[in-house]
Amino acid sequence: MKYRMNRLCRAMGVTAFVAVTSLALAQVPSQPSPMGSQLTRPPVVKGEYALDHVVVTFRPNTTNATKLDVLKRYGLSVNPILSGKYHSVLTISPRSRAMGMTVHSLNRSLASHPAVMYAELDPVLVPEFTPNDPRFGEQWGLHNTGQGGGVDDADVDAVEAWDNVLTADETVVAVCDDGVEYTHEDLADSMWVNPNENPTNGIDDDGNGFIDDKHGWDFVGNDNDPMPDDPGDSHGTHVAGSVAATFDNGLGVAGAGPNVKIMALRMYPTMAFMSALTNAIDYAWQNGADVISVSYNLDGFTQSLSDAIGRAGAADVVYCGSAGNNGEGEPPRSALRDAHDNLIFVAATDRNDNLSWFSNFGSRIEIAAPGEDILSTYTQNDYQLSSGTSMSTPMVAGVVATLRGSNPSETAREVLDRLIDNADSVDNLSGFIPGNRRMNFANATSITVSPDLLSVTPVMGTVLGGGLAQIMSSDDTHMGMRASSLARRGNYVTYEVAVASPVAASMVKRIKLDTEMKVTRRQLTQYIYLYNVVTGNWDLLGSTRASTEDIQFGGLVGRQTAPNYVGANGSIRARVMVLGAERRGVSTTFDVLTDHIKLSITY
């Protein structure tokens, strides 16, 4: 049985007997939204939006009388399903429409009303996926062996990661979508079950304002059954399988996240407005979700959506959003990242580690993950392939949730930093994703240590003062070296540092070198190297323009080559070089002042 009722009235314990009086129930709390939720530029609305209503947030402490006056003046009524605790959705009456009022004119007029914090259009949401052929192949995104013409290991290394996380604490991912077929053979055991609700007694046992919400809530039908209304509404079921299809049960597929439960929050398609998504986000963080997964076109995001993400951030909940399928750079939605540090946008890659042809990209889209020909659960107990950033996003959400279960003391931002810092650097993503990052689950579950430096040895140049003690920490004390001249080449400072690996070479998955230093003149270049014990060569990790102010610079090697840099005695050797090239036969000396050097080892 579906229980359809006014959520706002339930939350306040009041019965709204006419539409006009229900406005008083959609109130802004007396405290403002969390700091940082305000966008740095105005929200953007693209594409389609509601033509019969607008979204309004009143200023704190606005009286009911003032709200009623707004309703009467503009001929509005409240939509009780799309309205929420933090916003009101106001519908234009036939009388007002007959007088020529449109959502545009209403929005402009309400935005200037002294009682209104902001008014905005309500964009229509569209799923971000492209259905593909019927089921074939394997889940290459989790474990790529070259199947289907792919590249070996162009995957997220899930198989390597699972051994490290099978005992992780249970976590919850809220899937905000078109519903989840929670009876599916590969999802039934992975569904979140509200621990404080008796789902059969018609009572709101846990007092959260939702009656019998066993697996989540339907914000379209305003009831406790988040099952898709039609078998064609398969997007959310596919997404849910990528998050956490039951692991190691001898059926179908495996989700990215073992020990992860799926909270089903239906907000599409009958009333596919962003206000429904906003309500779903608020339900998620208020009812125990650790991660929120949203695979929808948000190129019109709104201030009310941004505020909801901010409230989730204040509750330490991660928001994973799809980068979009427009094939464009710097999509408008990415501005949300400027306002929220609990948020990550996900681009899509193919089985050859290329950016997918449809995927958006940009400076604030911080990671990519497999998103083409992704096999997952489908409605009617089926399995099918789909493509899109809708598919890459839940894979990241499942991984992030597992990382949260493995590292329960880490905040939302810290676990996202762990994911980003441990991603693979893929050359094919250069110019699309910062740091060329494609998610690597195994790296993110590994242990990273920074052993103390064992030694510092000058190779070229003269030591002016300081040494090992001065470069062990970033404390504004420096080791100084003056450059030596090399005829017809220029002036050089070169020195070597060494650490001891805590594990054997075969266990090392990544080595990262970080430096912090400054120089005494311009037009200098800094280089960093690692010694390759297999080839006997110094391999360049990277170079950058040196600065007269302290700057940080680093480079890394991944797990395929990292063991090559660990000697038989466990030592890892790195070199730092600063070059001032000879110009027109003139070579000018300089000093290099090193504040800090750190070698990090992941195993």
Side-chain angles (χ1 to χ4, degrees):
M1 177 180 181
K2 289 193 173 186
Y3 297 89
R4 301 181 180 272
M5 56 192 64
N6 187 328
R7 173 190 174 188
L8 303 176
C9 296
R10 289 197 314 272
M12 300 295 292
V14 180
T15 300
F17 54 92
V18 293
V20 143
T21 59
S22 67
L23 179 64
L25 305 174
Q27 299 184 56
V28 177
S30 58
Q31 295 296 320
S33 298
M35 293 297 292
S37 65
Q38 196 75 13
L39 294 175
T40 56
R41 64 179 183 178
V44 178
V45 175
K46 293 176 62 178
E48 299 182 13
Y49 43 83
L51 297 177
D52 65 343
H53 69 256
V54 295
V55 179
V56 172
T57 293
F58 288 96
R59 296 187 183 280
N61 304 320
T62 300
T63 65
N64 288 347
T66 300
K67 295 177 183 179
L68 290 173
D69 180 68
V70 171
L71 285 177
K72 293 175 181 177
R73 176 182 302 182
Y74 296 102
L76 305 174
S77 61
V78 176
N79 182 320
I81 295 176
L82 293 179
S83 294
K85 179 179 179 182
Y86 302 95
H87 67 266
S88 299
V89 173
L90 307 184
T91 301
I92 303 174
S93 69
R95 175 176 62 85
S96 299
R97 194 178 298 281
M99 296 170 59
M101 182 179 291
T102 67
V103 289
H104 297 282
S105 61
L106 175 63
N107 193 58
R108 287 193 298 270
S109 184
L110 285 172
S112 63
H113 193 286
V116 173
M117 182 178 296
Y118 55 81
E120 51 195 358
L121 303 179
D122 198 3
V124 174
L125 296 181
V126 179
E128 296 200 300
F129 83 120
T130 303
N132 209 318
D133 299 325
R135 175 178 176 174
F136 73 91
E138 299 178 0
Q139 291 177 271
W140 67 267
L142 301 180
H143 186 55
N144 194 339
T145 59
Q147 65 269 47
V151 172
D152 183 55
D153 202 37
D155 55 41
V156 301
D157 282 348
V159 172
E160 294 86 346
W162 284 333
D163 283 344
N164 299 330
V165 296
L166 292 180
T167 59
D169 293 345
E170 184 176 290
T171 52
V172 178
V173 172
V175 172
C176 302
D177 218 288
D178 63 0
V180 175
E181 188 176 86
Y182 50 78
T183 57
H184 192 288
E185 64 177 8
D186 222 359
L187 295 176
D189 290 339
S190 296
M191 296 306 301
W192 171 75
V193 176
N194 189 337
N196 301 312
E197 189 78 9
N198 179 344
T200 62
N201 64 0
I203 298 173
D204 181 12
D205 300 284
D206 59 3
N208 69 346
F210 300 88
I211 291 179
D212 293 353
D213 51 328
K214 179 180 180 181
H215 295 309
W217 196 256
D218 178 357
F219 289 93
V220 176
N222 198 31
D223 59 58
N224 61 11
D225 188 3
M227 181 77 78
D229 272 1
D230 184 275
D233 298 339
S234 56
H235 188 258
T237 301
H238 196 282
V239 164
S242 290
V243 172
T246 305
F247 183 82
D248 199 30
N249 65 344
L251 296 172
V253 297
N259 298 328
V260 174
K261 298 299 182 183
I262 301 160
M263 178 188 289
L265 301 177
R266 183 172 181 260
M267 29 64 64
Y268 182 89
T270 306
M271 290 184 181
F273 296 115
M274 201 170 290
S275 50
L277 172 59
T278 299
N279 290 332
I281 292 170
D282 283 327
Y283 178 99
W285 68 261
Q286 290 170 343
N287 288 277
D290 301 282
V291 179
I292 298 170
S293 182
V294 179
S295 292
Y296 274 74
N297 187 343
L298 301 183
D299 288 336
F301 63 86
T302 61
Q303 187 63 53
S304 58
L305 173 69
S306 179
D307 285 352
I309 295 171
R311 290 188 289 269
D316 198 37
V317 176
V318 172
Y319 179 98
C320 293
S322 53
N325 296 345
N326 310 109
E328 67 180 12
E330 308 297 346
R333 76 186 71 186
S334 64
L336 287 165
R337 177 64 183 89
D338 294 335
H340 307 293
D341 67 1
N342 65 314
L343 178 151
I344 189 168
F345 283 116
V346 184
T349 57
D350 65 17
R351 65 180 74 226
N352 293 293
D353 255 347
N354 297 307
L355 185 77
S356 296
W357 63 269
F358 51 77
S359 180
N360 288 350
F361 54 90
S363 60
R364 291 168 292 193
I365 298 172
E366 296 175 277
I367 204 158
E372 284 193 47
D373 297 337
I374 301 301
L375 181 65
S376 186
T377 49
Y378 214 71
T379 47
Q380 296 186 301
N381 225 34
D382 198 3
Y383 303 86
Q384 292 206 20
L385 292 168
S386 288
S387 298
T389 54
S390 277
M391 285 60 252
S392 52
T393 301
M395 188 177 294
V396 170
V399 168
V400 170
T402 303
L403 294 177
R404 301 211 76 179
S406 300
N407 305 277
S409 64
E410 292 186 349
T411 66
R413 184 64 248 166
E414 288 171 340
V415 78
L416 289 178
D417 286 342
R418 171 186 286 271
L419 184 80
I420 292 168
D421 291 344
N422 289 283
D424 283 337
S425 180
V426 177
D427 290 343
N428 296 345
L429 298 180
S430 177
F432 296 110
I433 307 298
N436 314 338
R437 299 182 187 100
R438 192 255 297 125
M439 179 173 68
N440 187 303
F441 192 1
N443 284 354
T445 64
S446 301
I447 300 170
T448 299
V449 295
S450 297
D452 288 341
L453 298 178
L454 296 177
S455 63
V456 55
T457 306
V459 177
M460 289 189 66
T462 304
V463 177
L464 300 177
L468 188 63
Q470 282 68 43
I471 64 174
M472 291 284 283
S473 63
S474 185
D475 55 5
D476 291 329
T477 61
H478 295 79
M479 178 189 76
M481 288 189 67
R482 178 154 295 167
S484 295
S485 178
L486 197 61
R488 295 184 297 277
R489 297 282 299 275
N491 286 327
Y492 290 80
V493 164
T494 305
Y495 57 88
E496 179 180 322
V497 295
V499 303
S501 171
V503 296
S506 60
M507 297 179 63
V508 175
K509 297 179 180 178
R510 192 179 75 162
I511 302 172
K512 188 171 187 287
L513 175 63
D514 292 295
T515 68
E516 184 177 357
M517 63 175 58
K518 61 184 177 181
V519 294
T520 56
R521 73 173 178 87
R522 301 182 185 278
Q523 304 298 318
L524 305 177
T525 305
Q526 175 186 347
Y527 302 85
I528 52 177
Y529 302 82
L530 282 181
Y531 181 70
N532 190 319
V533 299
V534 176
T535 66
N537 297 321
W538 286 96
D539 293 342
L540 178 66
L541 295 190
S543 62
T544 189
R545 180 73 68 183
S547 172
T548 54
E549 301 291 335
D550 270 335
I551 63 166
Q552 295 180 350
F553 173 64
L556 60 84
V557 291
R559 69 184 183 89
Q560 290 182 322
T561 59
N564 296 345
Y565 300 94
V566 182
N569 61 353
S571 67
I572 300 174
R573 298 162 61 194
R575 274 189 179 178
V576 176
M577 181 175 74
V578 180
L579 165 65
E582 184 176 294
R583 296 178 183 276
R584 298 179 181 178
V586 178
S587 181
T588 306
T589 192
F590 56 86
D591 296 340
V592 175
L593 304 175
T594 302
D595 184 14
H596 188 210
I597 295 181
K598 179 175 70 173
L599 267 170
S600 301
I601 301 164
T602 300
Y603 61 94

